[in-house]
Amino acid sequence: MTLKKNLDILLFEKLNEEIIKGKWVSGQQLSADEFAERYGVSRTPAVQALKRMNALGMVSVMTTGHFYVPSFTEQQVYDLLEMRALLERQAIIDIEQRNVRVDTATLRKLAEECSAYNEAADLTRTRQADLRLHSFLISQSHNGCLSEMYAKIQGQFMVANYVLTTHTKDQQRVAAEEHELIINALEEKDFERAKAICDEHIYEAREKILIKMKASNESI
């Protein structure tokens, strides 16, 4: 039983990495059998991994039971990033109201990893570090309900962001600078500034995705 659970988690992480690398395509049908063969596991952990991804909004499932990569409309992307901004803003509100001592050392370490991987042109690890940083910020609110909601929003964001768009080293440098500004604001307990920078950070990501989507739609 423990081994099976470990295989579920391992495959879930591998499939996350495929998304982060931009290997999936919107609307693509996903085969549990194919994943099982690719990663040398039985079909059961492959199905369980896909079910877990479905619970997080990372994959969709047909009435026939087949899994596929979800597609997003421009309005859905707009709403998704709006919710992400609201949740990160709420995390900062909770931090302030609960007088939480934020672990800025860990946040800064994650920010430094993100920058270092970006300079090394390691796109996968850059994106993984970026995701960990934002999840860790949410965890600092000590609000379990908020963390659960954010996990699903982040799952959907991963698909919308990494399937639909690409990122340049310069764009990631800008994001890294904004990470640093957010951390500085939290250290100084300037929560209004932290919220404002978070908003700008997320809305820039939203605009980037929407521009890519519009260009793609116009080329069809």
Side-chain angles (χ1 to χ4, degrees):
M1 183 64 72
T2 302
L3 177 60
K4 175 182 174 295
K5 181 178 180 181
N6 288 342
L7 288 175
D8 293 351
I9 295 171
L10 176 64
L11 192 52
F12 174 80
E13 292 172 350
K14 291 290 186 182
L15 297 184
N16 270 258
E17 191 171 312
E18 288 193 12
I19 295 174
I20 289 170
K21 289 180 176 179
K23 290 186 174 182
W24 290 13
V25 178
S26 295
Q28 169 190 347
Q29 189 162 321
L30 303 168
S31 169
D33 292 326
E34 180 184 333
F35 290 138
E37 182 178 355
R38 184 184 306 170
Y39 292 107
V41 299
S42 68
R43 189 175 189 277
T44 300
V47 171
Q48 292 304 313
L50 287 168
K51 285 182 176 179
R52 184 177 179 186
M53 298 181 86
N54 175 246
L56 293 173
M58 303 171 77
V59 305
S60 298
V61 62
M62 302 176 184
T63 54
T64 58
H66 292 104
F67 297 95
Y68 64 96
V69 182
S71 300
F72 295 92
T73 65
E74 291 179 19
Q75 185 62 55
Q76 287 172 326
V77 167
Y78 185 95
D79 294 344
L80 174 64
L81 273 292
E82 188 69 26
M83 281 302 302
R84 185 182 172 203
L86 286 172
L87 293 178
E88 295 204 17
R89 172 178 281 268
Q90 185 60 49
I92 296 171
I93 290 171
D94 286 347
I95 287 168
E96 179 180 14
Q97 292 182 344
R98 299 176 183 188
N99 197 29
V100 174
R101 184 173 182 179
V102 178
D103 184 357
T104 53
T106 298
L107 278 172
R108 202 173 295 283
K109 180 176 180 293
L110 289 167
E112 289 170 356
E113 286 179 3
C114 193
S115 295
Y117 288 135
N118 183 55
E119 293 307 314
D122 190 334
L123 179 62
T124 300
R125 290 187 176 181
T126 300
R127 289 173 168 179
Q128 289 172 332
D130 186 280
L131 291 168
R132 287 196 301 271
L133 185 151
H134 284 275
S135 291
F136 189 78
L137 172 60
I138 292 293
S139 76
Q140 294 299 283
S141 68
H142 301 304
N143 182 332
C145 182
L146 182 63
S147 293
E148 287 180 14
M149 292 175 66
Y150 189 79
K152 184 163 186 177
I153 291 295
Q154 190 179 67
Q156 292 176 299
F157 168 75
M158 284 174 62
V159 178
N161 194 28
Y162 303 143
V163 170
L164 296 175
T165 64
T166 55
H167 304 77
T168 67
K169 186 178 284 190
D170 286 341
Q171 286 173 330
Q172 192 60 53
R173 281 197 191 106
V174 172
E177 290 170 2
E178 290 169 348
H179 290 157
E180 189 69 23
L181 291 173
I182 292 167
I183 296 167
N184 289 343
L186 290 171
E187 279 185 331
E188 296 164 12
K189 296 191 175 183
D190 189 342
F191 300 110
E192 288 306 313
R193 183 157 60 95
K195 285 184 283 187
I197 299 166
C198 263
D199 284 348
E200 182 179 359
H201 184 70
I202 293 167
Y203 293 149
E204 284 173 354
R206 179 173 68 187
E207 189 61 22
K208 180 179 62 179
I209 299 171
L210 291 174
I211 288 172
K212 182 74 173 182
M213 289 180 72
K214 288 173 182 176
S216 179
N217 291 335
E218 288 171 0
S219 66
I220 296 174

